[in-house]
Amino acid sequence: MTTDAPAADAQLARWQRFRKNRNEALAADYGWLTLTSFQWLPASPAAVEPAPGLWSTDGSTAVLTAAAADGLTLVETGEAVDGTVSAVLADEESLLWVQFGGADGRRVRVELAMRAGRYAIRTRDSASPVFTGFDGVPTFDYRPDLVIEARFEPYPEPVDVPIGTANPLVDGVHPSVGELVFRLPGQAHECRLQAEEEKLGALTVTFHDETNGDTTDEWRKVSTARPRPDGSVILDFNRAINYPSAFTPYGTCPMPVKNNSLDYRIEAGEKAPFA
């Protein structure tokens, strides 16, 4: 008699709960699936479609001028924008700033963002077909053989590695804190992926693999728990997920660092959403 089956069933059940939570998060109001535009702010006040009002920036401050007839209200307070308002963000910060449209005046929210030292706005439309038609991300079947025991080798100090992003006009930086070292099923050589540290010491790796552009998006990411005291950690590729840029052309999501490419078909985790 074997005890493997109950353990495998529990592992599968945990993954199914993970998938349920993931799909619910994507279906949240004004989430990534509602993005419908991305525009840089001009230096002089000008219209920026599709948002009402006149928008501009002097490089340090974003400025919006609108009349009450434009129908813009502040997301935080619901107060009408009638005159000029401004906001200041640090790089990589975002603010759901104003809203307009629809019967309640809140159909579209305008996100102010600072990316690569420049201000931009993105609209989040609750009537976006990508959002209203969403019924879950397609995934591969669960693969217990792609739940990998890995070893975390931390760097003496974090290393900022320049990277590209989903927007060719936005450069990014990957703060690499070390490498996850592991072997994939059927391969003799070790793989190494540079990792970024998240909250509570968890790790995230962004990677390419041989399924990209076929059954999966151009890159994906997978997160782990905090490594154990001996450096060991479980790398579960069944939990590989898409970045927002897989669902919308208006993301500025980070690409993998140069060496985070696997010569292997990781047929686990999320598939391309529109394949």
Side-chain angles (χ1 to χ4, degrees):
M1 183 175 180
T2 179
T3 59
D4 291 345
D9 289 345
Q11 196 174 51
L12 176 60
R14 286 193 294 272
W15 177 71
Q16 290 170 334
R17 288 195 297 272
F18 169 82
R19 290 303 324 154
K20 180 176 182 292
N21 292 337
R22 163 69 171 164
N23 285 324
E24 288 177 352
L26 281 170
D29 291 341
Y30 303 106
W32 295 115
L33 302 185
T34 64
L35 284 180
T36 53
S37 72
F38 179 104
Q39 301 280 3
W40 297 110
L41 293 192
S44 300
V48 179
E49 294 293 339
L54 300 178
W55 301 77
S56 64
T57 178
D58 62 2
S60 62
T61 303
V63 178
L64 164 63
T65 300
D70 289 320
L72 286 165
T73 60
L74 296 172
V75 170
E76 186 175 357
T77 65
E79 181 183 356
V81 179
D82 188 7
T84 297
V85 293
S86 62
V88 175
L89 300 179
D91 202 32
E92 295 302 317
E93 284 189 337
S94 294
L95 169 68
L96 288 178
W97 196 12
V98 294
Q99 57 196 356
F100 68 94
D104 61 359
R106 298 186 297 176
R107 194 189 90 180
V108 181
R109 288 188 171 176
V110 183
E111 173 195 5
L112 179 68
M114 171 72 89
R115 296 292 183 270
R118 300 173 63 187
Y119 279 105
I121 59 170
R122 296 193 290 199
T123 49
R124 294 174 180 252
D125 188 340
S126 58
S128 164
V130 175
F131 175 66
T132 58
F134 179 69
D135 62 357
V137 187
T139 68
F140 293 98
D141 290 339
Y142 185 76
R143 289 276 301 272
D145 61 321
L146 287 175
V147 182
I148 308 293
E149 180 89 16
R151 180 179 75 255
F152 177 57
E153 295 184 355
Y155 296 147
E157 297 289 340
V159 178
D160 286 343
V161 181
I163 56 171
T165 73
N167 186 318
L169 299 179
V170 177
D171 293 327
V173 173
H174 184 277
S176 297
V177 296
E179 298 177 0
L180 287 176
V181 185
F182 56 95
R183 284 188 173 86
L184 289 163
Q187 288 198 336
H189 67 273
E190 286 188 332
C191 301
R192 290 178 173 268
L193 294 177
Q194 292 185 46
E196 179 177 1
E197 189 173 61
E198 305 292 351
K199 294 180 180 178
L200 304 177
L203 301 173
T204 293
V205 290
T206 302
F207 66 96
H208 292 293
D209 74 89
E210 295 295 324
T211 66
N212 294 164
D214 176 14
T215 51
T216 65
D217 196 51
E218 295 304 319
W219 64 87
R220 294 179 289 169
K221 68 176 178 177
V222 62
S223 297
T224 76
R226 181 175 185 166
R228 304 182 185 101
D230 65 356
S232 63
V233 65
I234 298 298
L235 182 60
D236 185 353
F237 283 106
N238 294 284
R239 299 192 178 212
I241 63 173
N242 294 315
Y243 273 99
S245 54
F247 304 94
T248 170
Y250 307 111
T252 57
C253 304
M255 292 180 175
V257 298
K258 183 178 179 180
N259 295 326
N260 274 22
S261 294
L262 300 172
D263 58 344
Y264 194 92
R265 291 185 64 84
I266 301 293
E267 294 181 322
E270 290 186 352
K271 295 181 177 180
F274 308 118

